[in-house]
Amino acid sequence: MKPMKISEAVVRRLPVYLQVLNDLNMRDVQTVSSQDLGNKLDLNPAQIRKDLAYFGDFGRKGIGYDVTYLIEKIRQILKLDQPLNVGLVGAGNLGRALCNYNTYLKDNMKITAVFDVHPSMVGASINGLTVLPMDKLKETVAACNIRIGIITVPAIEAQNVADKFVEAGVDGILNFAPTILRVQEHVRIHYANFTTELLSLAYYLDEEGVDENETVVD
Amino acid sequence: MKPMKISEAVVRRLPVYLQVLNDLNMRDVQTVSSQDLGNKLDLNPAQIRKDLAYFGDFGRKGIGYDVTYLIEKIRQILKLDQPLNVGLVGAGNLGRALCNYNTYLKDNMKITAVFDVHPSMVGASINGLTVLPMDKLKETVAACNIRIGIITVPAIEAQNVADKFVEAGVDGILNFAPTILRVQEHVRIHYANFTTELLSLAYYLDEEGVDENETVVD
DNA sequence: TAGATTGTTAATCGATTAACAATC
DNA sequence: TAGATTGTTAATCGATTAACAATC
């Protein structure tokens, strides 16, 4: 391992590698080359080798990477080899979807508490969890050792919820609300903003919608 | 306007600009400088000016950008000045959340049809839409002029659904399933994979979890 | 006019890719 | 040994930022 600073682009690719490796593992594939991975992910094999080499020598020259071993290593790098508790605020449709995905976020990440700002939601049961009121957030985050907060409330309430999470002591926030959050520097925020993806998708549509052949006169 | 090729990074920032501009507009702000926008978004003002300048001269020297005018222009660029119909497959929790968000995706984008692969789901009502069976997908996409497909089914079914969407003639797909899709080259795919964001967030946690001051001996 | 801010060119920075020695 | 594939250095590419003339 080197004490080098790893760029965000590299870190963001690790979960993608993990996803493909888990796939291969389920299909009992023992070994994979950077070439194979590159084909599956439309990435340059050199980039994959370089990404992995930041963290150690995981491959074998002439052979490739052992799938199980590489999964284990990437899990370690992402700190998914230890349990990580997550709290969620916003028991609406999206929040409930994420709670039910819990099996999905299996990799030692678990939503262990759900909160809502609306008293009418409090007490409801979601996938075995009882929705708690916001004034229980601080003590629950401490008691359950919650490190990450997920925000699935409307944009207008998001900053307020983020402040509560930070005050309660979480180190990271995943924000689904379409708004930029301001927090103390040491708290890391990731955005899961699908509207961005959807709206930017629209940009690329008419390149095909306008049939360029129609304008060709022979 | 220039006939230049615009990079994906630029296009992805446009919806973010739009978001902030809509915010400003609601608060009756008339004019905004690239400096202001940069502060709000943690972006370099020069980058914002450059991004916008790819598409035209929208600002006024010494003044800044007219908020309403810039919103209009970005809407045009993203083709949100015309209605755009969207179909969704997967009426589970996440699918339902997106359908109910319809107000959100107001910008002339609308989910106009919902499908599910499971017969037991068919016929259910979601936000005024009746869930249709998959064998109605092709005719509905044609009849409703659906250009974009959203996939909210489990990973294992996602490629199959994508194939159906492509066969039916959509030009773009927004995939929420954590899997890479293979489609004809002319179909554009965007990924809304929040597991990637969540897992990569874990990587950054212990940088603060390990209190570096504790190791300092004076 | 003086101050502010754009649009754009040039400089910088960082990320991706090619190439190859090492080695299984 | 010959073929395959890694880890890594050097070359390339592209994106970000700085700087500034134009101008409101």
Side-chain angles (χ1 to χ4, degrees):
Chain A
M1 297 224 192
K2 295 149 209 169
M4 213 174 188
K5 220 216 148 205
I6 310 295
S7 89
E8 295 200 14
V10 174
V11 175
R12 251 164 240 273
R13 280 191 293 268
L14 295 178
V16 182
Y17 298 155
L18 195 53
Q19 178 187 299
V20 174
L21 290 165
N22 280 326
D23 253 37
L24 291 169
N25 194 41
M26 279 199 303
R27 289 190 274 120
D28 289 320
V29 177
Q30 308 290 313
T31 298
V32 70
S33 68
S34 59
Q35 189 64 249
D36 294 340
L37 286 173
N39 289 151
K40 283 185 193 302
L41 293 165
D42 285 333
L43 291 177
N44 185 299
Q47 182 170 67
I48 295 173
R49 293 200 297 278
K50 200 159 199 269
D51 284 355
L52 296 174
Y54 283 119
F55 303 98
D57 292 0
F58 302 145
R60 285 208 290 159
K61 293 190 169 91
I63 309 285
Y65 299 90
D66 182 90
V67 173
T68 324
Y69 181 69
L70 192 53
I71 288 174
E72 191 191 316
K73 282 302 177 185
I74 296 182
R75 285 233 164 101
Q76 276 174 21
I77 296 162
L78 293 173
K79 309 200 189 78
L80 300 171
D81 53 340
Q82 51 199 299
L84 182 55
N85 295 330
V86 178
L88 183 148
V89 176
N93 277 292
L94 181 57
R96 265 173 287 179
L98 296 179
C99 290
N100 285 303
Y101 263 158
N102 243 344
T103 46
Y104 234 29
L105 323 170
K106 57 170 185 298
D107 306 285
N108 273 312
M109 275 206 188
K110 202 177 170 190
I111 297 178
T112 50
V114 186
F115 307 86
D116 203 288
V117 293
H118 303 294
S120 60
M121 263 316 175
V122 172
S125 179
I126 298 175
N127 199 24
L129 294 169
T130 302
V131 177
L132 302 171
M134 287 302 282
D135 56 21
K136 289 270 188 271
L137 191 135
K138 193 164 185 179
E139 66 184 77
T140 311
V141 164
C144 297
N145 189 28
I146 287 173
R147 310 273 316 270
I148 290 180
I150 298 182
I151 298 179
T152 52
V153 299
I156 193 88
E157 296 166 14
Q159 180 65 57
N160 188 27
V161 171
D163 293 343
K164 297 259 169 64
F165 263 136
V166 171
E167 196 205 330
V170 304
D171 305 313
I173 288 176
L174 180 62
N175 178 33
F176 281 81
T179 188
I180 311 288
L181 300 177
R182 294 283 157 197
V183 295
Q184 289 169 261
E185 233 176 59
H186 72 271
V187 178
R188 173 116 193 151
I189 301 196
H190 282 200
Y191 295 89
N193 198 343
F194 55 85
T195 22
T196 302
E197 290 302 323
L198 190 54
L199 298 191
S200 62
L201 187 54
Y203 173 83
Y204 293 99
L205 290 193
D206 268 357
E207 278 175 30
E208 297 87 34
V210 178
D211 189 342
E212 289 180 10
N213 293 326
E214 284 182 13
T215 62
V216 176
V217 182
D218 75 327
Chain B
M1 297 225 196
K2 295 147 209 170
M4 212 173 189
K5 219 212 147 211
I6 310 295
S7 89
E8 296 199 15
V10 174
V11 175
R12 249 164 240 274
R13 279 192 293 267
L14 295 179
V16 182
Y17 298 156
L18 195 54
Q19 178 187 299
V20 174
L21 290 165
N22 280 326
D23 252 36
L24 290 169
N25 194 41
M26 280 197 303
R27 287 189 277 121
D28 289 321
V29 177
Q30 309 289 312
T31 298
V32 70
S33 68
S34 59
Q35 188 64 246
D36 294 341
L37 286 174
N39 288 152
K40 283 186 194 302
L41 293 166
D42 285 333
L43 292 177
N44 185 300
Q47 180 171 66
I48 295 173
R49 293 199 299 278
K50 198 157 198 271
D51 283 354
L52 296 173
Y54 283 119
F55 303 98
D57 291 359
F58 302 144
R60 286 208 290 159
K61 293 191 168 86
I63 308 286
Y65 299 89
D66 182 272
V67 173
T68 323
Y69 181 70
L70 192 52
I71 287 174
E72 192 190 315
K73 283 301 177 187
I74 296 182
R75 286 236 161 100
Q76 276 172 21
I77 296 164
L78 293 174
K79 310 203 188 76
L80 300 172
D81 54 341
Q82 51 197 302
L84 181 54
N85 294 331
V86 178
L88 182 147
V89 176
N93 277 295
L94 182 56
R96 266 173 286 178
L98 297 179
C99 289
N100 286 304
Y101 262 158
N102 242 344
T103 45
Y104 235 28
L105 325 169
K106 57 174 184 299
D107 307 285
N108 273 312
M109 276 204 187
K110 202 177 169 189
I111 296 177
T112 50
V114 185
F115 307 86
D116 202 287
V117 292
H118 303 293
S120 61
M121 267 311 181
V122 173
S125 178
I126 299 176
N127 201 23
L129 295 169
T130 303
V131 178
L132 301 172
M134 287 302 284
D135 56 21
K136 290 270 188 271
L137 190 137
K138 192 164 184 179
E139 67 183 79
T140 311
V141 164
C144 298
N145 188 29
I146 287 173
R147 310 274 317 271
I148 290 181
I150 298 182
I151 298 179
T152 52
V153 299
I156 193 89
E157 295 166 14
Q159 180 63 59
N160 188 27
V161 171
D163 294 343
K164 297 258 168 64
F165 263 135
V166 171
E167 195 205 329
V170 304
D171 306 312
I173 289 176
L174 181 62
N175 178 34
F176 281 81
T179 188
I180 311 288
L181 300 177
R182 295 283 155 195
V183 294
Q184 289 168 262
E185 233 177 57
H186 71 271
V187 178
R188 175 117 192 149
I189 302 196
H190 281 199
Y191 295 89
N193 198 343
F194 54 85
T195 22
T196 301
E197 290 302 325
L198 189 55
L199 298 192
S200 63
L201 186 54
Y203 173 84
Y204 294 98
L205 291 193
D206 267 354
E207 279 176 27
E208 295 87 33
V210 178
D211 190 339
E212 289 180 10
N213 292 327
E214 286 184 12
T215 62
V216 175
V217 182
D218 76 323

